[in-house]
Amino acid sequence: MNLYAAFLKKQIRNYLFGSAVAVLAVGSLLLYSSLEISPVEYLRLILAIFVSFVIMTIVDISVFMSHIKPIHIALKERKPELVVLERAYLHSHQLPKKAVFRIMVPHLFGLSVPAFLITLWMIDTGLISLPYFYLGVAVAGALLVACMHALIEFFLTCSAIIPLIKEFRNRALELYNVDFSLEGKVFVAIRPKFIISCMLIGTFPLFLFIITLHIRMYNPSGNEMDNYWVWEGMVLLIGTSFSSIAAWLLTRSVQHPINELYQAMNNVKEGQLLQVQDEYSDEFSKLVAGFNMMVRGLQAQEQQNRQLLDSYFTTLAVALDARDPYTAGHSLRVAEYSVIIGQLAGLSGQTLDNLRKSALLHDIGKIGVRDSVLFKDGKLTDEEFDQIKSHPVQGENILRQIEPAEKMAPYLSGVRSHHERYDGKGYPDGLVGLSIPLYGRIIAVADAYDAMTSDRPYRKGMDHERALNILDQGKGSQWDPEFAGLFLSYLGKGKDYIINNEDEKIKADNSVSA
């Protein structure tokens, strides 16, 4: 509750300061000093202002207490509920806007209506010798004073709510491990805030001067008042136009760097670590420099993470191959061959890197196959062969356990489908042709070539020419004819086989994300 008491104290001090500047100093000393009335009538007017000020204060305080009620509820409880803290957090952000409402509605009418009625009664009873015209001027002056007071109150409240916002956010983290954030929600946009503030600051002295001068020069029977109205209108038009243009220019100069930084932050959120060009000579240059420093740090971290992930994949592949000295290096070679085929097929960038990682881990599911089956010299039984055939699915399941899941997603299709056949006789899903994912069709060619040319406990590896002959015979039936043809051409055996059918190219491209 100490924070609540400090907040109330600051708000009362801000209110008194704003009232003193806007209502007493401006309203009483400047406006009424222009009146040519007796000292007794001055005292009566001051009394009218004082009574109206008391009424305004009572109305204002009642509205203010209703505005801060959610904050009071959240701060008085030792362990408030999360919904109470969130309501108070959001409500605190809205207090500056509510302060403007309080000044422009209950505050303004609580002052101007009683003052208008009391002054009207005094004029009717002869206690004050003023023309009724002055009441209209007084209402205009009250509106002007309220606008200035609202401006002061808005910015003072913006400063006063900062400790509240921090407190509610810290409590939510401490009690419920929930971090409050507006997530980009805007309660008061910069454009109207700057434009209204600049216009008030620029035109307030002008309006005040015209009102006081109008009172001093008022002569209901004089012809010079007509000329004065024309002059007054011109001055107001020029002054307001100048303030509007200045406010628009100032707003644009602030919004432009903010919009650029906001767009740059969206790029970072989407994974595009792009720096912002520094084209500013004011404090925004420091913001841009700080943002670019952050981006450079993220780029270095991203590079380090990428290297760690590459090492992780390579380590898994080497650890898998280490189970069998006869197949040592198999996964690394399959990855190398797959990249060659991918490059020949026109793959590049992230797509090619995902292919390499998928190839490195294509046999990761063999971890779940018993050594007695995996290293058996003789012919496998049907049950044992089913265990071998389960390794693509087991490999996919293993990768699905790695977090974050979205980082593993690009590699799942290649691991699961690298034993599918182009004619639909493969496993585990019996996919046919281009329905087999792109990575699976490429890895199948690379895996078959390395398996045929590598030594096994039960046989010696085939020679290069024989393996190529088998690939050449099996393209279009066991293996994708395009990728098998590209690999054969690269190795110097078989005819170049390039698919010219545009529809098949489109299907192949679409299968990258499968």
Side-chain angles (χ1 to χ4, degrees):
M1 291 298 290
N2 291 334
L3 179 61
Y4 181 72
F7 171 72
L8 276 182
K9 183 178 179 181
K10 182 177 290 187
Q11 285 296 95
I12 293 173
R13 185 171 65 247
N14 293 343
Y15 177 82
L16 293 176
F17 174 77
S19 298
V21 172
V23 179
L24 298 178
V26 176
S28 299
L29 299 179
L30 294 181
L31 185 58
Y32 287 112
S33 64
S34 302
L35 299 176
E36 295 181 349
I37 55 178
S38 65
V40 174
E41 290 176 317
Y42 260 121
L43 290 176
R44 290 170 181 168
L45 281 177
I46 292 175
L47 179 61
I49 292 177
F50 177 77
V51 173
S52 302
F53 187 80
V54 172
I55 296 173
M56 175 197 71
T57 302
I58 294 173
V59 175
D60 207 356
I61 289 176
S62 63
V63 174
F64 173 73
M65 294 307 295
S66 67
H67 283 175
I68 65 172
K69 185 177 180 180
I71 295 172
H72 182 227
I73 293 174
L75 289 177
K76 75 176 181 179
E77 299 180 13
R78 296 180 62 88
K79 188 179 180 180
E81 296 180 0
L82 181 62
V83 65
V84 174
L85 286 173
E86 185 176 15
R87 187 185 303 118
Y89 173 81
L90 294 174
H91 198 80
S92 298
H93 281 284
Q94 300 177 50
L95 282 182
K97 192 174 181 179
K98 290 182 178 294
V100 173
F101 167 82
R102 192 178 76 249
I103 300 301
M104 295 304 299
V105 182
H107 181 101
L108 172 61
F109 288 102
L111 174 68
S112 59
V113 172
F116 178 86
L117 294 176
I118 294 173
T119 305
L120 180 62
W121 172 77
M122 287 183 176
I123 293 175
D124 287 339
T125 57
L127 294 175
I128 297 177
S129 56
L130 287 175
Y132 289 104
F133 165 77
Y134 280 9
L135 290 176
V137 176
V139 171
L143 178 61
L144 185 63
V145 168
C147 289
M148 205 60 197
H149 189 185
L151 178 66
I152 296 172
E153 194 77 12
F154 175 85
F155 285 104
L156 291 178
T157 305
C158 286
S159 175
I161 63 174
I162 293 177
L164 294 177
I165 293 171
K166 291 181 178 180
E167 176 67 15
F168 295 136
R169 182 169 177 265
N170 291 338
R171 281 200 184 189
L173 281 171
E174 180 182 347
L175 298 176
Y176 303 102
N177 197 29
V178 174
D179 191 5
F180 289 153
S181 173
L182 294 182
E183 298 294 341
K185 185 177 182 180
V186 176
F187 288 110
V188 181
I190 285 180
R191 181 180 291 274
K193 180 168 68 174
F194 269 55
I195 289 178
I196 294 173
S197 300
C198 292
M199 286 187 64
L200 281 176
I201 294 171
T203 59
F204 179 79
L206 183 61
F207 273 100
L208 189 62
F209 171 74
I210 289 175
I211 289 175
T212 55
L213 186 62
H214 192 76
I215 294 173
R216 298 287 291 182
M217 295 180 61
Y218 177 71
N219 183 0
S221 61
N223 294 329
E224 67 274 7
M225 290 301 298
D226 294 335
N227 295 329
Y228 171 73
W229 280 111
V230 174
W231 172 83
E232 180 185 70
M234 289 295 296
V235 171
L236 283 175
L237 179 62
I238 295 173
T240 304
S241 299
F242 179 79
S243 297
S244 301
I245 294 173
W248 177 75
L249 291 174
L250 178 61
T251 302
R252 191 177 69 167
S253 70
V254 172
Q255 276 191 315
H256 179 68
I258 290 178
N259 289 338
E260 282 218 342
L261 286 171
Y262 184 75
Q263 181 59 46
M265 286 187 286
N266 280 337
N267 291 338
V268 172
K269 181 180 179 181
E270 295 172 1
Q272 304 176 33
L273 302 180
L274 305 176
Q275 298 188 39
V276 177
Q277 183 175 353
D278 190 358
E279 55 188 41
Y280 310 103
S281 57
D282 52 17
E283 281 77 5
F284 279 110
S285 178
K286 293 183 178 180
L287 287 178
V288 171
F291 177 83
N292 288 340
M293 185 184 301
M294 178 195 70
V295 170
R296 288 193 293 271
L298 289 175
Q299 289 172 337
Q301 187 67 39
E302 179 72 12
Q303 179 64 23
Q304 185 180 20
N305 290 340
R306 191 179 297 112
Q307 292 173 348
L308 287 173
L309 188 61
D310 287 346
S311 299
Y312 169 75
F313 276 75
T314 304
T315 301
L316 279 179
V318 171
L320 176 65
D321 291 346
R323 291 184 64 191
D324 182 4
Y326 288 97
T327 61
H330 170 69
S331 297
L332 294 176
R333 291 192 299 272
V334 170
E336 180 183 352
Y337 298 149
S338 297
V339 169
I340 291 172
I341 297 172
Q343 289 173 330
L344 293 172
L347 304 184
S348 61
Q350 190 62 49
T351 303
L352 192 65
D353 187 60
N354 289 343
L355 170 62
R356 185 181 69 84
K357 291 185 173 69
S358 299
L360 280 173
L361 298 180
H362 75 283
D363 274 343
I364 192 68
K366 287 184 177 179
I367 292 176
V369 180
R370 297 197 307 270
D371 290 353
S372 61
V373 175
L374 190 63
F375 304 138
K376 186 175 180 180
D377 292 343
K379 184 179 180 180
L380 297 174
T381 65
D382 290 343
E383 180 184 355
E384 291 170 338
F385 188 55
D386 285 340
Q387 289 186 41
I388 293 291
K389 289 168 64 177
S390 70
H391 82 269
V393 176
Q394 290 192 43
E396 181 189 35
N397 292 336
I398 289 172
L399 295 183
R400 286 188 183 277
Q401 308 307 311
I402 301 175
E403 296 292 342
E406 61 271 13
K407 293 296 185 181
M408 293 293 110
Y411 319 125
L412 300 181
S413 62
V415 171
R416 183 183 179 93
S417 64
H418 71 278
H419 277 296
E420 298 287 353
R421 287 175 54 110
Y422 201 75
D423 56 11
K425 298 178 181 179
Y427 60 88
D429 302 310
L431 301 178
V432 180
L434 297 180
S435 64
I436 303 172
L438 174 67
Y439 294 166
R441 285 181 278 138
I442 294 176
I443 296 172
V445 176
D447 184 36
Y449 174 77
D450 189 71
M452 288 187 289
T453 56
S454 298
D455 292 335
R456 292 290 188 270
Y458 51 87
R459 66 159 174 83
K460 185 172 178 61
M462 299 180 188
D463 61 69
H464 176 72
E465 292 297 326
R466 185 181 176 190
L468 295 186
N469 283 329
I470 294 176
L471 281 178
D472 192 38
Q473 293 170 9
K475 66 185 181 184
S477 57
Q478 183 168 355
W479 300 289
D480 184 297
E482 178 186 7
F483 299 133
L486 289 173
F487 196 47
L488 287 168
S489 298
Y490 173 80
L491 296 175
K493 177 68 177 179
K495 300 176 181 179
D496 289 344
Y497 194 98
I498 306 296
I499 294 179
N500 294 318
N501 187 292
E502 290 299 322
D503 291 337
E504 290 189 344
K505 282 187 175 181
I506 292 173
K507 291 179 182 178
D509 291 339
N510 290 339
S511 68
V512 173
S513 59

